[in-house]
Amino acid sequence: GQNIDQPTEMTATEGAIVQINCTYQTSGFNGLFWYQQHAGEAPTFLSYNVLDGLEEKGRFSSFLSRSKGYSYLLLKELQMKDSASYLCAVRDNHRDDKIIFGKGTRLHILP
Amino acid sequence: DTEVTQTPKHLVMGMTNKKSLKCEQHMGHRAMYWYKQKAKKPPELMFVYSYEKLSINESVPSRFSPECPNSSLLNLHLHALQPEDSALYLCASSQEHRWGTTTDTQYFGPGTRLTVL
């Protein structure tokens, strides 16, 4: 079956570092996405991993291990505006290349 | 320009009304999508259009009727909705629906917040 797991909520302090984990079990795999979504707004693309390893983009980095079905999103130098939901999503090439979303992790940043 | 636009931003309708949601992109993308998102839940795929043809219908009730008049426009016609259909309706587009190893992703519009009374 399809399963994408990530923690429901996390709290971190402004200026700190936080890691949001995602594990997946899907029929097929053709890439993993991380999206940021502020309350009431559309998801915005953060990162894409299809090969194992770390992709870095400014304050955000994303890691993938295909053998372990595992990814994480690392956010550094946290800012208050990073308070949002972070969605892990997998593109399943055994299911018409649909993007399957996890339930999202709500990240709260404390001053 | 990586913008997907949606109108209206908010819509309140009765169960007997007929209304339409509109989505537009000018990025030359050939795939467009409708998602439904309830509060604190992830987006759920409803429809996929690829090259203006309906490619995927995720067993959506017939009271939701998609239409793709051309490669830039996507509509969602609503008729006889139920209160449980109240949600954020998101449109997205991507270069293609079926990818190889491209890093292209879906770009989402701001959504239409629908309330059915």
Side-chain angles (χ1 to χ4, degrees), chain A residues 6 18 20 48 53-54 63 65 71 80-81 83 86 90 99 102 111:
Chain A
Q6 48 183 133
V18 73
I20 302 174
Y48 172 79
L54 189 67
F63 171 82
S65 167
S71 173
M80 297 304 292
K81 67 179 182 180
S83 292
Y86 291 85
V90 171
I99 292 181

Side-chain angles (χ1 to χ4, degrees), chain A residues 30 33 35 37 39-45 47-48 50 87 91 93 95-99 101-104 106, chain B residues 35 37 40-43 45 56 58 88 90 97-111 113:
Chain A
N30 194 18
F33 299 85
Y35 286 86
Q37 188 174 26
E41 298 182 14
T44 54
F45 170 73
S47 69
Y48 172 79
V50 69
L87 299 165
R91 186 164 68 206
N93 58 356
R95 297 188 72 192
D96 294 323
D97 268 330
K98 289 178 207 170
I99 292 181
F101 285 86
K103 292 189 171 144
R106 280 193 299 286
Chain B
Y35 286 88
Q37 187 176 26
K40 298 185 181 179
K41 299 284 185 188
L45 183 66
I56 293 175
E58 287 286 270
L88 181 68
L90 294 163
H97 169 52
R98 294 183 187 276
W99 297 285
T101 58
T102 179
T103 58
D104 187 46
T105 188
Q106 292 180 6
Y107 294 91
F108 283 86
R113 175 76 55 193

Side-chain angles (χ1 to χ4, degrees), chain A residues 67-80:
Chain A
S67 62
K68 294 182 180 171
Y70 168 69
S71 173
Y72 67 72
L73 180 70
L74 191 72
L75 294 79
K76 300 178 190 172
E77 299 166 23
L78 286 170
Q79 301 174 10
M80 297 304 292

Side-chain angles (χ1 to χ4, degrees), chain A:
Chain A
Q2 308 287 107
N3 207 31
I4 300 177
D5 283 318
Q6 48 183 133
T8 306
E9 287 192 79
M10 297 182 73
T11 301
T13 306
E14 193 176 14
I17 298 174
V18 73
Q19 177 174 311
I20 302 174
N21 295 324
C22 171
T23 56
Y24 62 90
Q25 289 174 303
T26 52
S27 308
F29 178 85
N30 194 18
L32 185 144
F33 299 85
W34 284 96
Y35 286 86
Q36 180 191 61
Q37 188 174 26
H38 286 98
E41 298 182 14
T44 54
F45 170 73
L46 291 178
S47 69
Y48 172 79
N49 296 70
V50 69
L51 300 175
D52 289 351
L54 189 67
E55 295 280 341
E56 296 187 78
K57 251 192 202 182
R59 294 190 299 115
F60 294 1
S61 305
S62 58
F63 171 82
L64 175 68
S65 167
R66 288 171 297 170
S67 62
K68 294 182 180 171
Y70 168 69
S71 173
Y72 67 72
L73 180 70
L74 191 72
L75 294 79
K76 300 178 190 172
E77 299 166 23
L78 286 170
Q79 301 174 10
M80 297 304 292
K81 67 179 182 180
D82 297 329
S83 292
S85 283
Y86 291 85
L87 299 165
C88 174
V90 171
R91 186 164 68 206
D92 188 343
N93 58 356
H94 287 191
R95 297 188 72 192
D96 294 323
D97 268 330
K98 289 178 207 170
I99 292 181
I100 314 295
F101 285 86
K103 292 189 171 144
T105 298
R106 280 193 299 286
L107 177 63
H108 306 279
I109 309 295
L110 302 176

Side-chain angles (χ1 to χ4, degrees), chain B residues 48-109:
Chain B
V48 179
Y49 271 82
S50 180
Y51 287 85
E52 299 160 51
K53 287 189 168 41
L54 184 63
S55 174
I56 293 175
N57 176 343
E58 287 286 270
S59 302
V60 179
S62 59
R63 57 185 186 268
F64 294 92
S65 174
E67 179 198 18
C68 189
N70 60 56
S71 59
S72 300
L73 292 173
L74 185 67
N75 299 323
L76 186 64
H77 303 298
L78 314 173
H79 174 55
L81 293 195
Q82 304 296 312
E84 59 264 28
D85 297 322
S86 299
L88 181 68
Y89 287 84
L90 294 163
C91 173
S93 72
S94 64
Q95 205 156 52
E96 300 275 346
H97 169 52
R98 294 183 187 276
W99 297 285
T101 58
T102 179
T103 58
D104 187 46
T105 188
Q106 292 180 6
Y107 294 91
F108 283 86

